[in-house]
Amino acid sequence: MDGYDAALHLLDRQVVDREGQLVAKVDDVELTLEPDGSLVATGLLVGLPALLPRFGDRLGSWLLDKYVQAGEERADRALPGVIEFELVDDIGSGVELSVLRKGLVRPRTAEVPAGVERWRLGDLLGMRVRCGDLPKRSRVLDVRLAGVPHRTERPLVTGLVVGPGRPGSLFGYDRKPDLGPLAVAVVVRRLHRHVRGVDVGPGVEIDRAANEVRISPGVPLLPLL
Amino acid sequence: MKRYFAVLLGVLTAIGGFVDIGDLVTNAQAGARFGWSLVWVVVLGVLGICVFAEMSGRIAAVSHRATFDLVRERLGPRMGLLNLFGSMSVTFLTFIAEIGGVALALQLLSSVSHVLVAMFVAAAVWIVLWRAKFSSIENVLGLMGLALIVFAVALWQLGPDWSELSSQLSPAEKPAAEGWAVYAFFGVALFGAAMTPYEVFFFSSGGVEERWTSKDIGVMRANVFLGFPLGGVLSVAIAGCAAVVFLPQGITVETLGQVGLPVAVALGKIGLAVVVLGFFAATFGAACETGLSVGYSLAQYSGFQWGKYVRPREAAGFHVVLLVATVLAAGVLLTGVDPIMVTEVSVVFSALALPLTYFPILVVANDPDYLGEHRNGRLANVLGVFYLVVITIASIAAIPLMVITSMGQG
């Protein structure tokens, strides 16, 4: 269980440039599905076009529609800004970049290189999970990325945190056994007693068209709490 | 030597900065109707704000993240936005009340209607927010706010029967004419006045503004654990003055002039001059703090550059928010709304909005990713969870009590 959790450690954090100037919040994270089937974090998405869809399926798309309508003359209205993942220097209480903020964020063009697909972390979080060994209402609660910040390794998606509940409601209590205060930890752990970790690989199929993740029988489910 | 001076200055400004329009009005009203039988709530509230401010100050010192950064990180954009809406509304309401309070203080001085004065006060507040250095705002107005110590002097000069006054400290000494629902309503209002959410937004963002590091935790704690309780003593003195002068006559407090009246009774013109200066400094300082807090919370939710530690042009969006908030507040006061009534509403809504910001701070204060070795110890967690329960109860009770008692009239 090394690496870090994209929703817990990356999403909604403050982005800070090399000199400590504030840039934006991480409104969403861009994941790229490479031809070999691996899923890699490639960019931090910023701005309302990245944030609004995260307000939920219906409310989010309604808000984005209204936002686009309010500036319908602009071709790039629905495109979020992107900060390439290579520019991330360190991930702590904020996301530190190795460059200055001036002229940094550019709109993410709609064209995609051949053979790859671009996903968003926000689409993955909250996706239904179909698995015989998990409660029916299970969803994707978090996405685990490999490596540590300031790394040579690629930020590869290595696993999913799945179970009933809402993304973000674990508050990090799945990560550290001794995280206090005890009273809150007991309540959160009790509410999330069915939460499991699963490694991405054979037997775990992320179907974006059907908006669900299918886990075959026999794939090991790791208890987290 | 310099370090001791920094601690002393911090403590003094914390005392002077603790009392704002909410504390002035609510404590005087509660004192006039209930004597000292609600002092235990002030003690509870002051200890609560110490616990809350110490945690968020520590987080700001170690991780350089202020309160609303953490709210969004832990609650996500949806709950975070709901929280932002609630907290910003309460802070904005308090901002209106503080500007109105400054105008009322100037009205006491000049007899010019506060509706007219409010515009000029708002303009002055904006200029200070735009031009003045962060530390000057805090130090000058905090030190001037110490003039409110005159309430303690006045109480001593009024020469009450101390044994009788201290026998009122038990909740059982509630005046028989008042019902328990009204007693509870004023309890929640006093709690909200002591634990106003903006105090924590301002305190933690101020830590980032002043570039605290983990070395400053000691100074920060001295400010919190000496300054806030001594500020709380002023609150108790305000209630005591009202209890001595108004309670036996059955007079209720409805104006800022009445809040200061016991001081004039005890100390004459000089006392009155000092108390008006204190009113002015306390409300003007709090107006700056609440105005900044509106900008802080919006910027920290959205991620754009905020703060007075950078030049205004580097944080243009932040300064636009401050300007818009000030203009809106002046507009509301121009309708002729009574600032005292805005204050009464704002302290109740403060109690309502507290749990949403308190909970994420409590969780993050335990997280070694943010705080490393400085995370909460056992004492901080016992107190932290105790206050989580108290704050939740106060929040749930606030609106029903407000309705049942028609804002404490019943």
Side-chain angles (χ1 to χ4, degrees), chain B residues 90-289:
Chain B
V90 173
T91 307
F92 180 66
L93 210 59
T94 316
F95 185 46
I96 298 171
E98 307 289 353
I99 293 181
V102 182
L104 287 177
L106 293 175
Q107 183 182 343
L108 288 176
L109 206 66
S110 65
S111 302
V112 178
S113 165
H114 66 87
V115 180
L116 180 62
V117 179
M119 280 191 299
F120 296 97
V121 173
V125 167
W126 177 67
I127 289 171
V128 167
L129 294 183
W130 180 35
R131 302 299 305 185
K133 265 170 62 181
F134 183 83
S135 54
S136 338
I137 301 178
E138 218 184 6
N139 296 342
V140 173
L141 293 164
L143 289 177
M144 271 164 68
L146 287 176
L148 290 175
I149 291 176
V150 75
F151 274 103
V153 180
L155 182 60
W156 171 63
Q157 272 290 311
L158 283 169
D161 181 349
W162 289 101
S163 68
E164 200 243 302
L165 200 58
S166 48
S167 74
Q168 289 178 5
L169 287 173
S170 152
E173 292 300 314
K174 168 188 76 70
E178 304 281 4
W180 282 109
V182 184
Y183 182 84
F185 172 78
F186 272 94
V188 168
L190 278 173
F191 190 71
M195 286 195 78
T196 323
Y198 87 83
E199 288 169 3
V200 173
F201 302 157
F202 178 75
F203 190 72
S204 66
S205 307
V208 178
E209 293 261 24
E210 295 182 324
R211 299 178 190 273
W212 286 349
T213 64
S214 43
K215 285 190 199 123
D216 297 302
I217 290 180
V219 178
M220 181 276 291
R221 282 191 174 140
N223 293 352
V224 169
F225 290 118
L226 289 173
F228 288 1
L230 289 171
V233 170
L234 294 185
S235 295
V236 174
I238 293 167
C241 283
V244 173
V245 175
F246 298 126
L247 183 61
Q249 317 292 332
I251 299 170
T252 55
V253 173
E254 263 134 42
T255 66
L256 191 62
Q258 279 178 305
V259 176
L261 191 62
V263 179
V265 170
L267 302 170
K269 277 185 191 166
I270 300 286
L272 189 63
V274 176
V275 87
V276 172
L277 176 71
F279 284 165
F280 173 81
T283 48
F284 200 98
C288 294
E289 293 178 7

